[in-house]
Amino acid sequence: MTGEDTEGVVRRDRFSGGPARSFLSSLSADRRIFAADVAVDRAHVVMLAECGIIGSEVAGEILEALDGIEDASHGALPEGEDVHEAIETAVIERVGEEGGRMHTARSRNDEVATCIRYRLREDVLEALEATLDLREALRTVAREHVGTTMPGYTHLQPAQPITVAHWALSYEQAVSRDTERLLDAYGRVNRSPLGAAAFAGTTFDVDRERVADLLGFDSVLENSMDAASSRDFLLETTAALSALATTLSGLAEDLVVFASRGFVEVDDDYASTSSIMPQKKNPDSLELVRAVAGDAAGGVSGLATTLKGLPRAYNIDLQRATPHAWETVDAVGEATIVAAGAVATADWNEDVLAREAGAGFSTATGVADLLAAEGLPFRTAHEMVAVAAENGADYAALDAASREVLGESLESYVEPAAVEAALDPAESVASRDSLGGPAPQAVEASLEASAEGLAADRERVAERREAIEAARVALGEEVAGYV
Ligand code: ARG
């Protein structure tokens, strides 16, 4: 055994680590992939035995040792540069020299890449489930508030009246794309690099498909150099999480603003008070949700800059890339759960919302639309309503503007009742029934479509969970055949 990638006990004897020992080590960070590593070891040993690369008896001894190591947990591992080395050492301690056969036909390079993918897919499924729950919470708000008129804003200025349902569904739809992006990333996470060895394949007649199957991976990453060294799956998963966090930050910001205006009251569970100002109730949880977009963008940036320009094949820079993904998935997953809870428990103040829905002449666009529908060029109608906006924004002001701009009374070309209706925020909302608009019937249609979309995504996530659970059970049965 010679060369720079000689590993395990022998390697540690040759390189003590010296002052850089703890700098080199990923052992404590590897706690996160301890269970994954045990599973990967099991599948590898089963495959080695099936392919006749190691004997069944020694396979059984190694598998039994792995059971004991798993029970003792990560904290009981012997010293090692990382979890892979420490588990191998623990196997050898239990089995004797023969335990060293476990590392036949692989390297820590393909091993760690497999462990990260194995663990990350669980984390992505959890984040996915959180997006589904958030969507459900948003749909519930929408169902309850199809008729709750509220002000809609552009530039944070009152713009046009909408409903709480329309607002909630706007985020449901955005989060549904975040679900889609995470599902898409999942498909590329769930591929097996195992069997690539250090990067250049192996002389042993391994069955890469079999080991992928035992671990519940959908497919094998074929090129051994790519399999061992690529981390684009970390980058794209983190990027998808960053997009989700950006959606969440907008949702949180809206709620913070709405709470400051008395439109909504955040539940006590998601608020805190001030240590000096006794009257304060601050929507702190939502401000923290808003801030997580920064953590996620930091994760993407940390990964991209760590991965950029790395030569083929393995470099230990990759060891410092992984934690960016763990930190991002933890922060964004938690923020999604908190956002869902805050949305589900918030109390909408319908009276304040109704009163404010027409503020700032928010029905102006609807009035201009009405005049245009009655035959005026839209630009002329826009100008006329702008004049009325300066002078009271009511029927009288519109009539005066009509006489000024057109030289004609308003009632000479439009029904006064139609104008009054257009000036009413609720009627204004009801008239905007184009596809995806805020009118109750349009929102009801969107609600139905979103129910179908959500159910289909729940099914997709459940299928993936079942597939990895089935693989876990099947691997357990295979292992039981040896011990
Ligand atoms: N602990 C390393 C990582 O996280 C894997 C070990 C590979 N080390 C090596 N020197 N080839 O990437």
Side-chain angles (χ1 to χ4, degrees):
M1 296 214 281
T2 55
E4 59 183 19
D5 272 341
T6 314
E7 293 163 351
V9 179
V10 173
R11 210 197 72 94
R12 272 197 298 141
D13 286 349
R14 287 199 298 136
F15 303 109
S16 71
R21 199 184 182 90
S22 76
F23 186 61
L24 282 168
S25 174
S26 62
L27 186 57
S28 67
D30 288 347
R31 178 180 295 277
R32 179 112 185 186
I33 52 169
F34 171 74
D37 197 69
V38 173
V40 168
D41 285 346
R42 285 180 176 136
H44 182 66
V45 167
V46 167
M47 181 277 292
L48 289 178
E50 285 176 358
C51 294
I53 298 168
I54 64 171
S56 298
E57 201 166 312
V58 71
E61 285 169 35
I62 294 170
L63 291 168
E64 206 173 312
L66 286 170
D67 286 347
I69 291 162
E70 184 179 50
D71 291 345
S73 90
H74 181 271
L77 285 175
E79 266 198 71
E81 191 183 281
D82 54 30
V83 71
H84 322 293
E85 191 181 283
I87 290 180
E88 186 186 342
T89 304
V91 166
I92 293 168
E93 276 172 9
R94 287 168 189 251
V95 175
E97 200 185 347
E98 286 293 301
R101 295 192 188 278
M102 180 172 78
H103 208 54
T104 313
R106 73 172 187 191
S107 148
R108 286 182 299 161
N109 296 352
D110 59 339
E111 191 181 353
V112 70
T114 311
C115 292
I116 299 167
R117 290 168 180 274
Y118 185 94
R119 171 63 204 247
L120 185 62
R121 66 184 186 185
E122 290 273 351
D123 294 324
V124 172
L125 285 179
E126 264 179 42
L128 274 163
E129 280 154 1
T131 68
L132 301 177
D133 293 345
L134 172 58
R135 286 164 63 187
E136 193 56 67
L138 287 163
R139 291 191 69 263
T140 302
V141 170
R143 267 202 314 274
E144 287 165 5
H145 292 285
V146 172
T148 307
T149 314
M150 72 174 287
Y153 299 89
T154 60
H155 312 274
L156 268 186
Q157 301 293 321
Q160 295 189 70
I162 53 163
T163 63
V164 171
H166 192 240
W167 171 86
L169 286 184
S170 81
Y171 280 109
E172 196 282 328
Q173 204 145 83
V175 179
S176 78
R177 289 191 299 279
D178 291 312
T179 306
E180 208 177 307
R181 267 185 286 271
L182 281 170
L183 276 169
D184 199 45
Y186 183 92
R188 279 179 294 273
V189 170
N190 201 30
R191 296 179 188 177
S192 175
L194 207 60
F199 75 97
T202 172
T203 55
F204 292 96
D205 194 12
V206 292
D207 188 342
R208 296 192 62 198
E209 253 109 30
R210 172 63 175 155
V211 83
D213 207 43
L214 285 169
L215 290 167
F217 288 110
D218 295 328
S219 61
V220 165
L221 287 153
E222 194 179 293
N223 181 285
S224 60
M225 206 154 166
D226 172 50
S229 59
S230 291
R231 294 291 186 274
D232 52 305
F233 70 101
L234 291 181
L235 187 58
E236 73 168 309
T237 300
T238 311
L241 289 162
S242 171
L244 166 60
T246 304
T247 309
L248 295 179
S249 72
L251 169 68
E253 167 68 357
D254 270 3
L255 288 170
V256 168
V257 170
F258 294 165
S260 84
R261 292 177 184 173
F263 294 176
V264 73
E265 189 176 339
V266 174
D267 191 82
D268 289 2
D269 284 352
Y270 295 93
S272 19
T273 188
S274 157
S275 63
I276 176 169
M277 299 169 282
Q279 86 288 9
K280 294 284 303 242
K281 179 173 178 183
N282 301 322
D284 290 30
S285 305
L286 290 164
E287 292 171 15
L288 288 168
V289 167
R290 185 173 63 187
V292 163
D295 298 54
V300 174
S301 158
L303 266 166
T305 46
T306 305
L307 299 178
K308 177 196 167 293
L310 286 184
R312 283 280 191 251
Y314 182 87
N315 304 272
I316 206 157
D317 306 52
L318 296 180
Q319 178 169 292
R320 293 190 81 89
T322 317
H324 291 296
W326 302 142
E327 283 157 21
T328 305
V329 77
D330 286 347
V332 178
E334 194 179 10
T336 311
I337 292 168
V338 169
V343 165
T345 54
D347 200 10
W348 294 86
N349 193 332
E350 297 181 21
D351 296 337
V352 176
L353 288 168
R355 197 176 67 226
E356 291 300 315
F361 196 13
S362 69
T363 53
T365 309
V367 174
D369 284 343
L370 171 68
L371 300 181
E374 293 298 331
L376 287 191
F378 181 79
R379 187 54 54 217
T380 308
H382 184 280
E383 201 178 305
M384 222 187 87
V385 178
V387 171
E390 308 263 280
N391 298 308
D394 56 6
Y395 187 91
L398 285 163
D399 186 48
S402 177
R403 289 169 201 273
E404 184 187 324
V405 175
L406 302 176
E408 277 179 68
S409 76
L410 199 55
E411 66 181 349
S412 65
Y413 56 95
V414 57
E415 280 292 327
V419 177
E420 292 294 358
L423 283 167
D424 177 72
E427 301 254 16
S428 170
V429 166
S431 66
R432 271 170 287 128
D433 60 356
S434 51
L435 177 71
Q441 65 269 41
V443 165
E444 294 290 0
S446 300
L447 265 168
E448 236 169 84
S450 76
E452 279 168 32
L454 181 55
D457 282 347
R458 270 207 193 281
E459 186 67 35
R460 290 185 185 103
V461 173
E463 272 170 17
R464 282 156 185 75
R465 263 227 185 278
E466 281 155 25
I468 61 178
E469 179 55 18
R472 200 188 60 78
V473 172
L475 176 59
E477 284 163 5
E478 291 293 346
V479 168
Y482 290 88
V483 296

